[in-house]
Amino acid sequence: MRKGSNIQVTAGSVRVELGWRSGPGVPDVDASALLLVAGKVRSDEDFVFYNQAVHASGAVRHEGKRTAGDTVTDALAVDLGRVEPAIETVVLAASSDGGTFGQVPGLFIRVLDASGGAEIARFDSEDASVETAFVLGELYRRQGGWKFRAVGQGYGSGLAGLATDYGISVDEPQQAPAPASVAAPPVAPPAPPAAPPAAPPVAPPAPPSGPPAAAFPPPSAGAAAPYPPPPAPGTAPAGAPVSLSKVTLTKEAPAVSLTKQGGTSGALRVNLNWQVHKQFQGWGQKLGRALALHGDLDLDLGCLFELADGSKGVVQALGNSFGSLHQPPFIQLDADDRTGARTSGENLTVSLDHKDAFRRILVFVTIYEGARSFANLHATVTLQPQFGAAVDFSLDECTVPSTVCALALITNNGGDLVVQREARYLVPDRGVSPQRTLDHAYGWGMNWTPGRK
């Protein structure tokens, strides 16, 4: 499409991808959306971005970044049927972090039919220079339907200036954190795949007191207990301005203090959003077959925890160990996403109101079934405190037969919770479960028994 042109959008739901080529010296880029009435937002809640990932109506979601080769995309999901009748326009914007758009090669926006993935529209931005924010396109109502327009309007005042122009009240610290770079590829360890997933082991949480590791009978395969849903991603208290602060962890800068970022209370939401790429390269290609079986791929987000009283355990879908927010371990898994189709992925919620109860939390992901390794499975990990800056990083290509990845280690350092990027692929020895492999690597010291889900 050319700048200023438009096209009819007949799909009920669309996926909007903002993409660019990564490389040395290329700034990070973030997608955002503003829902407008008469050219302005009604309130700060009409701004969807990395720190406010879901609109109150559920119609617009920020889905996060994914990497394929040297191309990075940041995506928004827009359910046009759920957009409130009062909303006339959904502005689709981009902002750069650590440089200008003149340093961002191959910048584009495209609109895909969410149901089948067919491309509806694409606009390539080719004239960027000193801009630090762009309105690349917009979805707007016309005669009872929706259209997409290629806009290409740049701003030199960054995301804060763009948001302010549309009526958002922005709270930016006078001394913002140093710009963070795009997450570097993770470290990848050794050896052969784990035992078949028919009966992987599970360690139920130990009681709040008593010996830290004890043998338990396998849990039943029945339904999970009816825990209440975790809180939605945090938004600022009513009347408070929107915070644009965020932190991207890299191999060079792998840790951050939640306290220093303002995350001292409320809920901490840990999100894993993943996608399968069908182009198999490297280690997977050498085996002569696609390792990911796209129809039944099942990744499981979970965590090992150790509380201040010495008790240890696991929160995961396996064995229906979904945890609890209101009693130990004060950690809860919201759902088991068996296909990757849930727009919000899988989420762990940690109660920061009980942060003194934690000694350490190791967030991990395992392959339950459908693939023999993480090859060509690309994921974004986001830790979103209810109050404070979001922390994110990407997992890039896995080149070893790994079925378990340590994502992040959260440690209580004298009352300050520090998030450490791990992004570490582990390869279980033959007959050793992914969970036991993770336990051994981090010295958790628990006993494991077979479990199902």
Side-chain angles (χ1 to χ4, degrees):
M1 295 181 67
R2 294 183 178 180
K3 185 184 295 188
S5 62
N6 62 71
I7 189 171
Q8 193 78 30
V9 177
T10 57
S13 296
V14 296
R15 175 181 170 85
V16 179
E17 291 186 346
L18 178 114
W20 67 97
R21 293 196 306 275
S22 62
V26 176
D28 194 14
V29 178
D30 296 294
S32 57
L34 299 108
L35 288 74
L36 308 183
V37 176
K40 294 285 185 180
V41 298
R42 298 166 299 180
S43 72
D44 291 350
E45 291 184 359
D46 285 340
F47 184 28
V48 176
F49 69 118
Y50 48 79
N51 271 359
Q52 194 163 272
V54 185
H55 189 259
S57 67
V60 182
R61 291 177 176 270
H62 179 249
E63 293 194 329
K65 294 185 176 70
R66 292 167 179 171
T67 303
D70 66 348
T71 299
V72 183
T73 58
D74 197 10
L76 297 158
V78 184
D79 186 340
L80 297 171
R82 294 179 65 182
V83 176
E84 298 158 288
I87 300 297
E88 301 163 350
T89 306
V90 180
V91 169
L92 306 167
S95 58
S96 61
D97 184 4
T100 67
F101 275 104
Q103 301 168 275
V104 180
L107 181 67
F108 68 86
I109 187 172
R110 64 177 188 153
V111 181
L112 308 173
D113 185 333
S115 62
E119 184 173 283
I120 298 169
R122 176 175 173 134
F123 169 56
D124 292 86
S125 176
E126 299 173 343
D127 56 357
S129 57
V130 297
E131 298 88 349
T132 50
F134 255 99
V135 173
L136 289 174
E138 61 182 18
L139 294 161
Y140 63 99
R141 295 186 191 270
R142 182 56 53 91
Q143 297 178 344
W146 286 92
K147 285 191 168 186
F148 170 78
R149 178 184 290 119
V151 178
Q153 178 184 348
Y155 289 73
S157 51
L159 183 59
L162 183 150
T164 301
D165 278 2
Y166 285 102
I168 300 292
S169 55
V170 172
D171 175 24
E172 281 200 299
Q174 292 183 350
Q175 203 168 11
S181 59
V182 176
V187 178
V202 54
S209 60
F216 289 85
S220 69
Y227 293 111
T235 54
V242 170
S243 171
L244 302 184
S245 299
K246 74 162 188 169
V247 178
T248 298
L249 301 182
T250 66
K251 289 174 69 176
E252 293 74 24
V256 66
S257 162
L258 287 180
T259 301
K260 291 179 181 177
Q261 299 302 322
T264 57
S265 64
L268 170 68
R269 178 175 177 262
V270 183
N271 172 262
L272 173 70
N273 204 291
W274 52 272
Q275 181 181 39
V276 177
H277 288 273
K278 296 184 180 180
Q279 297 77 27
F280 292 86
Q281 300 173 347
W283 180 81
Q285 192 176 54
K286 290 174 185 175
L287 290 186
R289 58 176 295 188
L291 295 183
L293 310 176
H294 307 290
D296 59 359
L297 180 64
D298 185 4
L299 300 186
D300 284 343
L301 182 67
C303 75
L304 300 179
F305 63 82
E306 181 180 2
L307 301 185
D309 63 8
S311 58
K312 300 177 183 179
V314 62
V315 174
Q316 60 178 1
L318 190 63
N320 293 327
S321 300
F322 283 83
S324 174
L325 278 182
H326 309 296
Q327 60 187 15
F330 307 112
I331 305 168
Q332 183 178 312
L333 178 66
D334 68 344
D336 180 18
D337 181 9
R338 298 200 174 199
T339 64
R342 297 178 75 241
T343 55
S344 59
E346 291 197 3
N347 303 278
L348 276 169
T349 303
V350 179
S351 174
L352 296 182
D353 293 333
H354 296 277
K355 64 181 183 296
D356 292 339
F358 301 120
R359 184 170 294 168
R360 55 179 180 156
I361 303 168
L362 180 64
V363 183
F364 66 86
V365 59
T366 63
I367 299 175
Y368 182 72
E369 62 184 5
R372 292 172 56 194
S373 87
F374 285 105
N376 298 288
L377 307 180
H378 298 275
T380 300
V381 181
T382 304
L383 295 90
Q384 176 64 72
Q386 191 165 350
F387 310 109
V391 178
D392 66 14
F393 59 90
S394 297
L395 297 180
D396 294 321
E397 193 69 29
C398 172
T399 58
V400 295
S402 170
T403 54
V404 57
C405 181
L407 301 176
L409 182 64
I410 305 172
T411 307
N412 190 331
N413 292 344
D416 178 16
L417 292 185
V418 174
V419 177
Q420 171 85 24
R421 177 187 187 270
E422 295 295 307
R424 180 182 174 189
Y425 293 111
L426 300 173
V427 181
D429 291 332
R430 187 173 301 278
V432 178
S433 72
Q435 289 86 349
R436 190 185 297 273
T437 299
L438 194 75
D439 183 314
H440 288 176
Y442 286 87
W444 231 263
M446 296 198 301
N447 292 330
W448 295 88
T449 59
R452 295 179 180 272
K453 65 174 182 175

